[in-house]
Amino acid sequence: MPPMKNILPFFIGLRYVRSKQSEGFFSIVSGLSFGAMTLGVMALIVVLSVMNGFDREIKVRILNVVPHLTVSQAMPLSSWRDQFGAVFDNPAIVSAAPFVEAQGMLSTDGGFEGVSIQGVDPANTRSLALLDEHMVAGTMAALQPGEYGVVLGSLLARSLKVITGDAVLLTLPEMTITPVGVFPRVKRLRVVGVFQVGAQVDTGIAFVNISDGQKLLRLGDDIQGVRLSLADPFAMKKVLTDLGDTLPPEAAVSTWQESLRALFEAIKMEKMVVGVLLAVIIAVAAFNIVASLVLMVADKRKDIAVLRAMGATSRTVTAIFRVQGAAVGLSGVALGVAAGCLLAWQLGAIVGFFEGLLGVSIFDPEVYFISQLPTDLQWPDVAIVAGLGTLISLLATLYPAWRAGQVSPAEVLRYEH
C-alpha cells in the first residue's frame, strides 16, 4: 500500500476540486478555467482538421492537372521510349506520356493573359483523364489533332471572357521573318473545353493536342519531356531514390511539389499562424487556472496552516495545489480532445444537416470549388494539441502551488482565535 504522504496531496487536492464550499466565486473561476481549456483544445483540433481537409482537397485536385513527375532534357527527344525505357519498369509509375510546353499569351477582345501552353495526348495521360471529372464544359477528348482546339481553366476563361466554341489568339515568343518585316508567331485556337479544380492552375495552364503543340513549336516528331503518373504521388522521395540509377545523366527531373512549392508553403504557413492564434485561447485558460489557484491559496491559508501544524511539509502543500490545478486543466484538455475529435470527424455531416434544416448552402458549388466542408483529422495534430494543453496546464500550477508552500503556519495561526 502506498505511503499516506504520497496519497495525501491527491486526496486533498481532488477534494478541493469537488468541494461544495467552493460553489461561490472560486467555483465560477474554476469553471471558466475548465471551459476555456476545453473550448481552446476543441477549437484548435477542429480548425486544424478543416485546414488539413482543404490542403488535401487542393492537392488531390491539382494532381489531376499537374504531372506528378516530369522527366526532360535540354534537347528535344525523338525516341523517348528507348531513352527512358528503364524508368517505366518501376512499379510505382502507372503511366507515362510525352508532352511539349511553351510560354505564350492568349488574347481576345476581352483581354489577354500569359499562360503555359501544354501539348498533351489526352488518351495517353492518366492524370488528364481524371481531369474530365472537373470539366465544367467540353471534354479533354475534344483535343483532336489538326483542329487546334484548346482547353482552358475556368478562371482563365472568365478573364478572357470566352466559352466553348469561341476563338482565342495564341502569341508565342518566337519571331517569323517575312518580306515585310519580323512578326511574332500567332495562331488562332478554338476553345473546346473548360476545367475547374479550384486552385491556381485554373488561371495559368492551357492544354492543346500534342500534335498541334509540336507544329506550333516546330519540333517535328520530337517532344520535350515525359509526364509520369504515380500510384502514390505523396511517396515522391522513395520514387526519386528508386529512379536515381535508371535515369540518363543528362535528364532533368521535376516534381509536383517543386512546381507548386510557393502554394504549399503558403498553406503550411497559414496553418501554423492560425494554430498559434488559436493557442491563445489555451493560454487564457492557463491564466484562469493561475488566478483561481492564487485566490484558493488566499482563501485556504487557515487550512494550510493547520496541515503544516499537523506535520505536512511544504512540498506536500505544494503538491496539493498542483494536483488541484492539474485536475482542472487536464480534465479540460481531455474533454476538449474528445469533443474536438468527434466534431472534426462529423463536421461535414453536421454542416450538411443544418444546410438541409435551414434550406441554405454554405458552399455553393457554382461559387466555390467544393460542395461540403472538408475535414482531415490527423492524429499527430491531436497529439500536439493535447501535449500543448497538458504542458500549459501543468506550468500554470507552479507559481500558485509554490506560494501555498511558502505560507507560514505561525503567522496565520497567531491571529486566529
Side-chain angles (χ1 to χ4, degrees):
M1 182 177 179
M4 180 59 69
K5 66 178 181 179
N6 294 336
I7 299 177
L8 185 64
F10 291 94
F11 178 78
I12 299 179
L14 295 177
R15 187 176 181 84
Y16 277 165
V17 175
R18 305 191 306 267
S19 176
K20 294 183 179 180
Q21 297 178 358
S22 300
E23 291 180 353
F25 179 74
F26 304 114
S27 177
I28 294 175
V29 176
S30 297
L32 290 175
S33 304
F34 172 80
M37 185 62 70
T38 301
L39 180 62
V41 171
M42 181 183 69
L44 195 49
I45 291 176
V46 171
V47 171
L48 291 180
S49 298
V50 171
M51 297 194 70
N52 290 335
F54 276 107
D55 181 50
R56 180 193 60 191
E57 190 74 19
I58 290 175
K59 286 181 179 178
V60 169
R61 289 170 177 268
I62 286 178
L63 290 175
N64 288 341
V65 182
V66 177
H68 302 167
L69 197 63
T70 301
V71 181
S72 59
Q73 290 185 185
M75 299 298 294
L77 304 171
S78 56
S79 56
W80 60 277
R81 291 189 180 277
D82 295 333
Q83 292 172 278
F84 297 141
V87 174
F88 310 138
D89 296 333
N90 191 309
I93 298 175
V94 296
S95 71
F99 76 94
V100 296
E101 183 177 11
Q103 301 301 314
M105 183 179 68
L106 292 178
S107 58
T108 64
D109 293 338
F112 56 90
E113 292 287 344
V115 295
S116 171
I117 300 293
Q118 298 190 8
V120 295
D121 183 358
N124 196 32
T125 306
R126 177 175 177 268
S127 61
L128 291 180
L130 294 175
L131 182 58
D132 277 328
E133 301 175 5
H134 303 289
M135 298 293 292
V136 296
T139 64
M140 291 298 295
L143 292 177
Q144 295 297 318
E147 296 186 0
Y148 291 95
V150 61
V151 173
L152 308 177
S154 59
L155 296 180
L156 179 59
R158 187 181 304 171
S159 176
L160 295 175
K161 301 178 181 178
V162 295
I163 59 175
T164 54
D166 290 345
V168 295
L169 288 180
L170 169 64
T171 303
L172 296 173
E174 296 182 7
M175 297 298 175
T176 299
I177 300 176
T178 69
V180 295
V182 179
F183 299 93
R185 297 190 60 210
V186 178
K187 180 65 179 178
R188 182 180 297 273
L189 306 178
R190 183 172 60 87
V191 179
V192 297
V194 177
F195 66 86
Q196 179 178 4
V197 297
Q200 66 182 34
V201 293
D202 287 351
T203 64
I205 294 181
F207 294 106
V208 298
N209 189 279
I210 188 171
S211 176
D212 297 340
Q214 289 170 326
K215 293 176 183 177
L216 290 172
L217 300 178
R218 298 175 178 175
L219 294 175
D221 294 329
D222 293 344
I223 63 168
Q224 295 175 326
V226 181
R227 300 167 59 114
L228 304 178
S229 295
L230 307 182
D232 183 6
F234 300 98
M236 189 64 66
K237 290 184 178 180
K238 183 178 185 303
V239 175
L240 291 177
T241 302
D242 295 340
L243 294 181
D245 298 331
T246 58
L247 288 173
E250 64 276 11
V253 179
S254 61
T255 68
W256 64 272
Q257 295 166 331
E258 295 172 347
S259 61
L260 298 169
R261 183 186 303 275
L263 172 63
F264 295 126
E265 284 185 352
I267 294 175
K268 183 178 180 181
M269 178 63 69
E270 183 180 2
K271 178 182 176 181
M272 183 179 68
V273 171
V274 171
V276 171
L277 293 177
L278 288 177
V280 173
I281 302 177
I282 301 178
V284 170
F287 283 115
N288 286 339
I289 293 175
V290 173
S292 65
L293 287 180
V294 169
L295 294 173
M296 183 65 74
V297 169
D299 184 63
K300 299 294 184 180
R301 286 173 61 86
K302 181 179 178 181
D303 294 355
I304 295 171
V306 171
L307 286 174
R308 292 294 302 277
M310 294 175 63
T313 63
S314 175
R315 180 176 298 179
T316 300
V317 174
T318 299
I320 289 172
F321 285 91
R322 291 189 65 183
V323 168
Q324 181 187 356
V328 174
L330 297 184
S331 58
V333 170
L335 181 59
V337 168
C341 292
L342 181 61
L343 185 58
W345 179 44
Q346 294 293 333
L347 188 59
I350 294 173
V351 173
F353 171 77
F354 282 105
E355 285 182 338
L357 184 65
L358 301 176
V360 298
S361 179
I362 298 178
F363 297 99
D364 187 351
E366 296 183 359
V367 179
Y368 303 97
F369 65 90
I370 57 173
S371 58
Q372 60 182 5
L373 189 64
T375 60
D376 181 16
L377 182 63
Q378 297 184 4
W379 295 115
D381 287 344
V382 176
I384 291 174
V385 173
L388 177 64
T390 300
L391 178 62
I392 291 178
S393 298
L394 296 178
L395 291 177
T397 66
L398 294 181
Y399 173 72
W402 174 80
R403 285 282 302 271
Q406 301 304 308
V407 173
S408 172
E411 290 293 331
V412 175
L413 297 177
R414 177 185 303 174
Y415 301 102
E416 295 294 333
H417 299 288

